[in-house]
Amino acid sequence: NIKVRKAFNMAINRKKLVEETLNNQAFGAGLYGFTPQTFPGYDITKIKGYEYNVTEAKKLLAEAGYPNGRAFPPVKIILNSGGARNTNVVVEIQKQLLENLNINVDFEVIPMAKKMDLAASGQTDIVREAWVADYPSPESFLSVFYGATVPKDPNQKSYPNTVRYKNPQYDKYYVLGRDAINRDSSFANFMRAEQILMNDAPIMVLWYDGNYRLINYNVRNMHTNAMRYRNLSDVYIKEVA
């Protein structure tokens, strides 16, 4: 039910999540699209995501047939083990959904391999996932939701499109962006596709991650980039007296 998905999105205070739960250890709150603000010329602030709006969230939930969360079915969030960070985030989401929508969600922490298997098999209500680009283009993020990768047989595993999202309009603009002959046309179509994705709300974008690299002052010409490609041919160590 799209109204339930949108209600969940609007019931989450992402800024509080970043500032208090993550202690500001994030590039920014997920207020726009799925693609982070990484690529010059691809302005994600033009993509309308979901602002914190409890009043509208409650209204949508009621329209979906669950006024004040009454009769809402059991929901479980699945996340992978390997640190307290994600668990802390899910606990905060659990609190916010209960407080704002009167919905009590459960969660379970399981090994990464099992989580990925359940997600690809379509056996989760909500699953914690993240994505790092394989190449420097919004395409690497948007390819996750390309409908052509979803198997026709629901019993077959679906990856990377684990939410099995399919929208012909999304696929149309994604392909136009992927096959465009210049960057401007590519980005324009990718942004159209990404807005359709956010309108359909198959996901809840929580925050955008960022990383810092600390390099010793003596190390020169050691440049960093988003793809973590390290060319050491011009790197040298300068002794400082």
Side-chain angles (χ1 to χ4, degrees), residues 1-17:
N1 191 317
I2 190 171
K3 291 185 177 180
V4 171
R5 300 198 301 270
K6 289 187 174 184
F8 271 50
N9 263 292
M10 293 180 180
I12 296 174
N13 187 337
R14 291 163 174 79
K15 290 183 178 179
K16 180 182 178 183
L17 205 64

Side-chain angles (χ1 to χ4, degrees), residues 5 9 14 33-34 50 145 163 197-198 200-205:
R5 300 198 301 270
N9 263 292
R14 291 163 174 79
F34 182 67
Y50 292 91
F145 303 100
V163 296
L197 173 73
M198 298 311 297
D200 286 342
I203 55 173
M204 295 182 288
V205 180

Side-chain angles (χ1 to χ4, degrees), residues 20-41:
E20 298 183 15
T21 309
L22 296 176
N23 294 316
N24 284 313
Q25 294 182 37
F27 188 76
L31 301 176
Y32 309 108
F34 182 67
T35 304
Q37 195 161 4
T38 302
F39 309 107

Side-chain angles (χ1 to χ4, degrees), residues 195-222:
Q195 187 61 67
I196 291 169
L197 173 73
M198 298 311 297
N199 292 345
D200 286 342
I203 55 173
M204 295 182 288
V205 180
L206 299 179
W207 75 87
Y208 310 106
D209 251 339
N211 291 293
Y212 290 95
R213 294 287 181 268
L214 301 180
I215 301 173
N216 190 288
Y217 180 75
N218 291 9
V219 178
R220 304 300 171 91
N221 287 345
M222 180 68 176

Side-chain angles (χ1 to χ4, degrees), residues 14-189:
R14 291 163 174 79
K15 290 183 178 179
K16 180 182 178 183
L17 205 64
V18 168
E19 293 171 3
E20 298 183 15
T21 309
L22 296 176
N23 294 316
N24 284 313
Q25 294 182 37
F27 188 76
L31 301 176
Y32 309 108
F34 182 67
T35 304
Q37 195 161 4
T38 302
F39 309 107
Y42 194 79
D43 185 3
I44 66 167
T45 63
K46 294 180 179 178
I47 298 171
K48 182 174 174 54
Y50 292 91
E51 295 280 352
Y52 182 51
N53 190 331
V54 177
T55 301
E56 184 63 20
K58 288 181 176 180
K59 178 172 175 281
L60 286 168
L61 193 66
E63 290 174 358
Y66 306 102
N68 197 34
R70 288 199 301 271
F72 199 84
V75 175
K76 180 185 284 187
I77 301 175
I78 298 295
L79 66 152
N80 55 280
S81 54
R85 184 190 196 205
N86 294 327
T87 304
N88 293 339
V89 167
V90 171
V91 169
E92 177 59 29
I93 290 173
Q94 187 183 46
K95 291 178 181 176
Q96 291 189 21
L97 291 177
L98 180 59
E99 179 180 343
N100 297 329
L101 296 180
N102 197 32
I103 292 176
N104 188 16
V105 301
D106 194 8
F107 72 91
E108 183 179 1
V109 181
I110 60 177
M112 173 68 85
K114 184 179 179 182
K115 186 211 76 168
M116 293 181 67
D117 184 66
L118 289 176
S121 301
Q123 299 181 51
T124 59
D125 300 321
I126 303 176
V127 60
R128 177 266 166 190
E129 292 192 323
W131 195 259
V132 177
D134 297 304
Y135 42 91
S137 168
E139 180 194 345
S140 185
F141 289 91
L142 301 181
S143 64
V144 174
F145 303 100
Y146 184 34
T149 65
V150 178
K152 293 182 179 179
D153 184 353
N155 295 313
Q156 291 184 343
K157 293 181 180 179
S158 179
Y159 188 84
N161 192 345
T162 57
V163 296
R164 298 174 191 257
Y165 175 70
K166 296 184 75 172
N167 182 316
Q169 286 297 106
Y170 176 89
D171 290 351
K172 170 188 172 182
Y173 290 119
Y174 167 76
V175 171
L176 286 172
R178 183 194 65 187
D179 299 343
I181 60 174
N182 61 66
R183 196 190 73 165
D184 289 346
S185 176
S186 175
F187 281 11
N189 283 295

